[in-house]
Amino acid sequence: ALPTLFLTGIFSLLDVLLKQPMHRALGYLNLPQDVVDALLHDSGPCFAYLQLAIACENATPKELAALAGPLTLTEQDVNREHIEAIVWANRFEDE
């Protein structure tokens, strides 16, 4: 499931990068259906995680807790993973 979640996150802004509607941008790729469902239909097992990832950027702690709870994640889990993701992404900026 982790690779599918990673793909969902990586491709979540593909429409912005390509300046095309998401359905057209995804048309160039052969992605797992769970990724497509999350990105095009706001559904499927990856969608809740995508919502949580997006919420990490601008949601209130209460909103984050509401999204994390059904995924059996605590606020501490979310904060830790968010920080790890930022550190991981920053490694590429330093190269």
Side-chain angles (χ1 to χ4, degrees), residues 19-92:
K19 298 179 181 171
Q20 295 185 15
M22 183 61 83
H23 71 278
R24 184 171 296 145
L26 293 180
Y28 300 112
L29 304 168
N30 185 17
L31 295 172
Q33 190 61 46
D34 288 344
V35 175
V36 174
D37 288 343
L39 298 175
L40 285 184
H41 309 295
D42 296 344
S43 65
C46 296
F47 181 63
Y49 290 95
L50 179 60
Q51 281 185 302
L52 182 59
I54 293 168
C56 283
E57 298 299 323
N58 56 15
T60 66
K62 186 176 180 178
E63 292 167 331
L64 278 176
L67 291 169
L71 299 171
T72 64
L73 298 171
T74 66
E75 287 181 60
Q76 293 80 11
D77 294 331
V78 173
N79 289 333
R80 181 179 55 253
E81 296 299 327
H82 188 209
I83 290 168
E84 284 184 29
I86 291 169
V87 169
W88 180 82
N90 284 335
R91 287 191 340 212
F92 296 100

